[in-house]
Amino acid sequence: EPEVTQTPSHQVTQMGQEVILRCVPISNHLYFYWYRQILGQKVEFLVSFYNNEISEKSEIFDDQFSVERPDGSNFTLKIRSTKLEDSAMYFCASTTRGISGNTIYFGEGSWLTVV
Amino acid sequence: QQQVKQSPQSLIVQKGGISIINCAYENTAFDYFPWYQQFPGKGPALLIAIRPDVSEKKEGRFTISFNKSAKQFSLHIMDSQPGDSATYFCAAGGSGSARQLTFGSGTQLTVLP
């Protein structure tokens, strides 16, 4: 079964440092997402990306965050200057506009620890 | 109005029993209601999903019941097994919102052997 792959699986970074989380969505998918989950809490939407631009973003996705699709396969989330409260599991997800409609597939996540 | 409320927060069921998790939503623009299963350290995995044009959908031991007028939907796990022990999230999405999902707060299910 096709899957969304994410790297790194775990990253520890110092507060104030820049972090880039990488994702390879499922190849024929058109919508891409980043979600985050703080330990023990619910999954929260960050941003959606379609046709090489941001479609929607949440209040969490402030100026410190950016997304990019630098080539035809990778989808990245950059946090410019990390804060302690950015510590969370970050999930990439993707979907297609096919018959399955809104079936959104999630990667296994990148666990970010800011110290 | 974007919230999805989920209950209970945790649930303990004996092996072979029925697990029931409930969710309620406010936004009538939602037209897609999936349930995700998450094991520790893993990403959410789609379990089953329903659209509001049907009141029930069954896949194996998993059933979604949907009540459009009450804006509620629930997951029933029949013959619960210890391997079903995980966190379950309901979610809701709409075609008018770039297919983003709003998640419930999660239910930690423990199935005792």
Side-chain angles (χ1 to χ4, degrees), chain A residues 7 10 15-16 19 36 38 46 62 69 72 89 96-97 103:
Chain A
T7 55
H10 189 194
M15 191 168 56
V19 160
R36 81 168 186 192
I38 294 171
L46 292 179
D62 62 22
R69 195 146 191 253
M89 181 77 94
T96 181
R97 299 183 75 179
T103 304

Side-chain angles (χ1 to χ4, degrees), chain B residues 54-105:
Chain B
V54 296
S55 60
E56 186 174 280
K57 182 174 180 180
K58 184 175 180 179
E59 288 183 2
R61 296 185 294 110
F62 302 95
T63 300
I64 299 179
S65 297
F66 185 81
N67 185 330
K68 188 174 180 179
S69 60
K71 291 186 281 188
Q72 294 174 348
F73 57 110
S74 59
L75 175 70
H76 296 233
I77 306 174
M78 314 299 285
D79 187 26
S80 299
Q81 300 296 312
D84 296 332
S85 297
T87 301
Y88 292 81
F89 291 95
C90 64
S95 57
S97 57
R99 295 179 171 79
Q100 63 152 291
L101 294 174
T102 300
F103 281 81
S105 53

